[in-house]
Amino acid sequence: MIASTSTPVTIAETPTTTIVLDVAGMKCAGCVSAVEKQLLAQSGVQSACVNLLTGVAAIAVTLETSTGIELAAQLTSSGFPAQPRTVSNAEDRSKRLQQRQEKSDRESKQLLWQLVTAGILLVLSAIGHFTQPTTHLHHGGVAVLNNFWWHWSLATLAIAFPGRSILVDGWRSLRHGNPNMNTLVGLGIITSYTASVAALVVPSLGWECFFEEPVMIIGFITLGRTLEQQAKHRAATAFDRLLSLQPTSARLISPDPVGVASPLENRPQAIEIPVEQVKVGEYLRVLPGEKIPTDGAIRWGQTTIDESAITGESIPVFKQVGDIVTAGTVNQSGAISIEVTRTGDDTTLAQIIALVEAAQTRKAPVQRLADTVAGYFTYGVLAIAILTCLFWYFIGIHNPNLDPPVSTLVPLKAAIAVMVVACPCALGLATPTAILVGTGIAAESGLLIKGGDVLEAVHRLDTVVFDKTGTLTEGKPQVTDIIAAESIDLLQLAAAAESVTNHPLAVAIGQEAVRLGLTLPTILDARTEIGLGVYARVLTGDTSDRASTLIQGNEYQVIVGNRHWLATNEIEISQEWEAKAQKLTTAGKTVMYVAIDGAMMGLIGVTDRLRSDAIETVKQLQNMGLKIVLVTGDRKPVAEIVARELGITDVYAEVLPQDKARIVRSLQANELDSAHPHRVATIGDGINDAPALAQADLGIALNAGTDVAIEVADIILMRDRLLDVVAAIKLSRATLSKIRQNLFWAAIYNLIGIPAAAGVLYWFGWGAMLSPSAAGAMMALSSVSVVTNSLLLKLRGDGR
């Protein structure tokens, strides 16, 4: 027993709820920072997490202090149109998918039109720029292309049409005090246009006209945004496919047995209704080729089901009466009737979608620094642009050593180039694109990763703790031995007591009773203790149909469990029984002790086979440099046999459920070297694993496990396939690697681009001045490269 060394203190927490807003108008990481600041400034808002790519804001607010409508109105008045999501069900998600696709189509058409227009204007401007009178291309037929007024008209058209959205959004953001990428680009365009107009109208200034610069800036920016938009659309395809799995209608039939199980020709006509109107307990007919509308159990028929969209498993699964089917999977071969067990947000598919949506709003800690930087980025760039202009005006143009000499317009052009080359958009897209692609690929493969912070936790792991039963083993144990006192029918009473729990060992005892055709007594009262056992009062009924030692109408007090449980209930275990238990344990079997009416009466030996992929999973994790630990409530000899077979040297046996979390804590603290704490992942499937899953730096739950284990876990394996632990870790590492690569390239673009645009390279004789149009091309390329790099995850979906 572990003594407590301190008294727990209960701290009252302010109840909170989560509000989700759809936010438009965000263009870069600076916008994300501005939206989060706006939200955090509101009364009652505890935290806010905003995703640039999906346009979603998840806000934790104290109850009855802030509403979604109020927060949306505040953001809208600040230049970011927002609206709350009032419901979160299959119908709402389908509508959002349709709206997002329609919006994407509209943006694609608008960008394509702008690109074509900007492209034509850019070509005309370039022809005029390169057909000056001094070149051999100049002749009377193209003389108009050299006219300054012609170039003015081209620049004016570029600003009025393809460049209009940039200027409008840039001005709106500036007016609301949230300057963004469009503000910088817009200032560059207007400045170059205005300076050229001044040179055209007032020739005495001695300035040159450079109308081609705003035209080229708009052309390159529009090209970059078109490519970026297409890449972002491809990044979201995996998640969109999840949304599209949700059926919109269902075939309702009578719950009468005639309507469910009779031949098709004798059944009443099915009624097609919207899937959101289906209720639990109703019966549905699903024909071959149709999607399963809701979660349910087959009540008639047999078929094969394509579950690849949910589990990632490509091989269809055979299903028959009594088997569970999942919404969104496809009925392939036979007509079936199902009884609805879960609908709406309770279905497996809806929970997967909700988890993936939530994952896209949870940031990796590395992104928080990027967002903080982005919040001040635009102001910093404007300051650098002003300093650049002042430097070249007062110092640069007077330097006689520069070759070629600096013209009077260089200060202005350098300032414009600084504003245009800055890449806040790349910083903003670095994390959400990688997370969107990574979590989408994971969901398609049956892996649910709950957010960017999980990715960082995976990257830091050095220790993995495995539960045994149901995790490393199949979780389908079988009774191998029954050792009982002669005066009692041990299995019959034990099976009755264990019928109140679905623990794998209890299920094994119940299945053995069914196999032997035993009639179970009636349960009068029962209680279970997680990880220990069960206590029950049972009343025997009529047993005249078989030879039995049980007396009809007798009440028995039955205790079934491990040694700790019997000791807790003050049951004495003789040396004879201990010797018998030790013999079973030495053979690698789990022993269940059975006491009846306060006396030890027998033992039940149970064995559970290792999963077929358990050895390979442990081996691959060890090859990745991870330390593997086995923690189990089973007896030490059994645990050691399993550990030996798996190649695990660190074993904790006979561990109580509450002590599993303590062991994880001790591993994290690394008592042997406290200066180097371990980062621990726990992998389990049951209720008794939940505290350890919650305590660990990373919790991984098998979907065959309980809802509570899934709730506290950070990664969920939908396929109930242990090798997916390796796949999940590899994919998480690959996704985090993409995030860091993206942030690195975004930083490099700015660290190289801004000094180059400011003329640093030219000043030291290392290169030429970066023109505003070249700066625009460089800036456009930065965002495209970040999104494209994230898409490369699809080429290594398993993280290898």
Side-chain angles (χ1 to χ4, degrees):
M1 181 174 291
I2 300 173
S4 175
T5 56
S6 62
T7 303
V9 179
T10 302
I11 300 174
E13 295 185 357
T14 305
T16 62
T17 187
T18 300
I19 293 174
V20 179
L21 302 181
D22 289 309
V23 185
M26 295 188 295
K27 304 297 181 182
C28 63
C31 298
V32 171
S33 180
V35 169
E36 290 183 345
K37 285 179 181 178
Q38 287 279 348
L39 291 171
L40 292 172
Q42 305 307 307
S43 174
V45 174
Q46 301 295 305
S47 64
C49 192
V50 180
N51 187 297
L52 172 64
L53 197 60
T54 59
V56 173
I59 310 139
V61 300
T62 54
L63 295 176
E64 300 179 355
T65 56
S66 298
T67 67
I69 295 176
E70 293 171 347
L71 294 174
Q74 180 62 37
L75 284 182
T76 301
S77 66
S78 300
F80 299 102
Q83 60 181 13
R85 291 183 181 175
T86 54
V87 289
S88 178
N89 53 37
E91 181 186 18
D92 178 55
R93 291 193 179 102
S94 296
K95 287 180 179 178
R96 283 194 278 114
L97 172 61
Q98 183 179 357
Q99 290 170 356
R100 193 162 72 206
Q101 290 174 338
E102 290 174 352
K103 180 183 177 183
S104 178
D105 290 341
R106 284 196 308 270
E107 289 179 349
S108 295
K109 290 178 181 177
Q110 183 181 12
L111 279 171
L112 182 60
W113 178 86
Q114 290 177 349
L115 180 61
V116 170
T117 306
I120 293 172
L121 295 173
L122 190 150
V123 169
L124 292 174
S125 178
I127 291 174
H129 180 66
F130 292 112
T131 57
Q132 298 298 323
T134 56
T135 70
H136 69 280
L137 292 175
H138 175 68
H139 54 80
V142 294
V144 67
L145 298 180
N146 300 313
N147 187 284
F148 286 127
W149 289 102
W150 167 253
H151 284 279
W152 168 81
S153 66
L154 294 177
T156 303
L157 289 172
I159 289 173
F161 292 101
R164 181 175 181 275
S165 60
I166 296 174
L167 299 177
V168 170
D169 182 76
W171 165 247
R172 184 188 296 120
S173 300
L174 186 63
R175 183 165 57 88
H176 288 291
N178 303 311
N180 60 10
M181 177 191 66
N182 282 340
T183 305
L184 295 173
V185 174
L187 284 172
I189 292 170
I190 289 298
T191 304
S192 58
Y193 177 80
T194 303
S196 297
V197 169
L200 179 62
V201 176
V202 188
S204 60
L205 289 173
W207 292 359
E208 61 178 288
C209 291
F210 51 104
F211 284 115
E212 73 280 357
E213 294 291 359
V215 177
M216 290 184 179
I217 291 172
I218 291 171
F220 288 134
I221 295 296
T222 305
L223 174 62
R225 288 191 178 175
T226 303
L227 296 175
E228 177 190 323
Q229 199 268 348
Q230 293 176 348
K232 288 195 297 187
H233 179 70
R234 287 196 295 273
T237 52
F239 181 60
D240 286 348
R241 277 197 293 270
L242 270 181
L243 289 175
S244 66
L245 291 175
Q246 300 176 115
T248 56
S249 62
R251 299 175 186 272
L252 182 67
I253 59 175
S254 167
D256 183 82
V258 174
V260 176
S262 61
L264 284 171
E265 61 271 14
N266 297 334
R267 260 181 258 171
Q269 183 67 34
I271 303 172
E272 190 164 312
I273 63 172
V275 71
E276 61 269 14
Q277 294 179 9
V278 175
K279 302 288 191 300
V280 173
E282 292 182 331
Y283 285 76
L284 305 176
R285 182 185 301 162
V286 187
L287 301 179
E290 294 181 339
K291 292 177 182 176
I292 306 296
T294 67
D295 289 1
I298 296 178
R299 295 296 178 238
W300 178 87
Q302 60 184 28
T303 186
T304 54
I305 301 289
D306 179 2
E307 297 182 333
S308 59
I310 303 295
T311 66
E313 183 57 63
S314 58
I315 301 175
V317 181
F318 176 74
K319 299 280 187 177
Q320 57 188 349
V321 173
D323 288 339
I324 300 300
V325 292
T326 304
T329 57
V330 180
N331 178 22
Q332 287 195 325
S333 58
I336 56 174
S337 298
I338 68 171
E339 181 182 357
V340 177
T341 56
R342 292 194 291 187
T343 64
D345 283 354
D346 294 329
T347 65
T348 301
L349 176 60
Q351 290 173 358
I352 291 173
I353 292 172
L355 284 171
V356 176
E357 281 187 312
Q360 293 168 2
T361 60
R362 287 172 59 172
K363 296 180 180 178
V366 69
Q367 176 65 10
R368 301 190 185 279
L369 176 60
D371 286 348
T372 301
V373 171
Y376 303 98
F377 186 86
T378 304
Y379 296 104
V381 170
L382 288 173
I384 293 172
I386 293 171
L387 291 174
T388 297
C389 184
L390 294 175
F391 173 83
W392 284 104
Y393 183 78
F394 288 106
I395 299 175
I397 61 175
H398 303 297
N399 187 345
N401 298 321
L402 294 178
D403 184 29
V406 179
S407 70
T408 56
L409 277 181
V410 162
L412 190 59
K413 284 187 175 183
I416 293 169
V418 168
M419 288 187 288
V420 172
V421 81
C423 309
C425 194
L427 278 173
L429 292 171
T431 293
T433 52
I435 290 178
L436 187 67
V437 174
T439 54
I441 292 171
E444 286 185 327
S445 303
L447 316 171
L448 298 183
I449 301 171
K450 289 188 176 180
D453 50 338
V454 174
L455 303 176
E456 289 226 353
V458 171
H459 183 75
R460 295 194 300 265
L461 287 181
D462 57 23
T463 304
V464 177
V465 173
F466 276 100
D467 171 53
K468 181 179 76 70
T469 304
T471 303
L472 289 169
T473 63
E474 291 180 346
K476 299 175 183 178
Q478 296 177 333
V479 173
T480 58
D481 300 87
I482 300 174
I483 304 173
E486 295 180 0
S487 60
I488 198 71
D489 196 330
L490 189 79
L491 182 63
Q492 195 170 13
L493 290 174
E498 293 282 23
S499 65
V500 299
T501 176
N502 61 356
H503 188 280
L505 297 178
V507 172
I509 292 173
Q511 288 175 341
E512 181 66 9
V514 170
R515 189 182 70 82
L516 296 176
L518 302 181
T519 301
L520 300 186
T522 302
I523 299 292
L524 297 178
D525 181 32
R527 61 185 172 89
T528 61
E529 193 70 30
I530 295 173
L532 294 175
V534 62
Y535 163 86
R537 290 191 302 117
V538 300
L539 180 66
T540 56
D542 183 8
T543 58
S544 59
D545 59 334
R546 54 182 296 291
S548 174
T549 59
L550 299 180
I551 301 173
Q552 182 179 352
N554 265 24
E555 179 183 321
Y556 296 89
Q557 293 184 350
V558 184
I559 296 173
V560 185
N562 57 27
R563 292 170 65 251
H564 293 291
W565 183 231
L566 266 68
T568 301
N569 286 276
E570 300 179 349
I571 305 296
E572 183 179 348
I573 304 174
S574 68
Q575 291 184 352
E576 181 183 357
W577 282 116
E578 282 288 17
K580 293 176 180 179
Q582 184 62 36
K583 185 177 180 180
L584 292 175
T585 301
T586 304
K589 298 172 183 178
T590 300
V591 179
M592 304 289 288
Y593 293 76
V594 183
I596 298 172
D597 291 339
M600 178 69 194
M601 297 300 292
L603 303 168
I604 298 176
V606 179
T607 188
D608 189 5
R609 292 183 301 177
L610 283 176
R611 289 177 182 266
S612 59
D613 57 353
I615 294 175
E616 181 63 22
T617 299
V618 171
K619 181 180 178 182
Q620 288 198 31
L621 291 174
Q622 289 172 334
N623 290 340
M624 293 165 64
L626 298 172
K627 175 184 177 182
I628 309 300
V629 178
L630 174 63
V631 178
T632 178
D634 219 332
R635 297 190 69 178
K636 188 174 181 181
V638 176
E640 288 177 343
I641 291 172
V642 171
R644 232 179 355 256
E645 192 171 349
L646 291 169
I648 300 174
T649 56
D650 295 277
V651 182
Y652 294 84
E654 300 183 47
V655 177
L656 298 177
Q658 60 268 31
D659 290 339
K660 288 187 177 182
R662 178 188 60 79
I663 290 172
V664 172
R665 270 196 306 274
S666 68
L667 289 170
Q668 289 170 323
N670 192 9
E671 295 168 356
L672 296 177
D673 184 6
S674 58
H676 299 88
H678 289 302
R679 301 292 184 175
V680 180
T682 298
I683 303 169
D685 72 315
I687 292 176
N688 59 331
D689 300 320
L693 289 171
Q695 173 63 41
D697 299 284
L698 179 77
I700 301 178
L702 303 182
N703 194 41
T706 59
D707 287 342
V708 66
I710 293 171
E711 180 68 26
V712 300
D714 301 298
I715 297 178
I716 300 165
L717 311 180
M718 297 300 297
R719 279 192 291 202
D720 194 28
R721 177 174 174 264
L722 200 59
L723 266 173
D724 281 349
V725 172
V726 178
I729 291 175
K730 287 184 175 180
L731 179 57
S732 298
R733 287 180 171 181
T735 304
L736 183 64
S737 177
K738 285 298 177 189
I739 291 174
R740 291 181 168 177
Q741 288 171 22
N742 289 345
L743 290 172
F744 171 79
W745 285 114
I748 286 296
Y749 270 114
N750 287 295
L751 290 175
I752 294 177
I754 292 177
V760 173
L761 301 180
Y762 177 56
W763 177 263
F764 289 103
W766 297 336
M769 293 287 289
L770 190 66
S771 69
S773 56
M778 189 173 178
M779 192 278 281
L781 181 63
S782 69
S783 298
V784 175
S785 63
V786 162
V787 180
T788 303
N789 188 48
S790 295
L791 287 172
L792 292 178
L793 268 173
K794 293 189 175 183
L795 301 179
R796 47 184 295 181
D798 63 353
R800 288 179 290 189

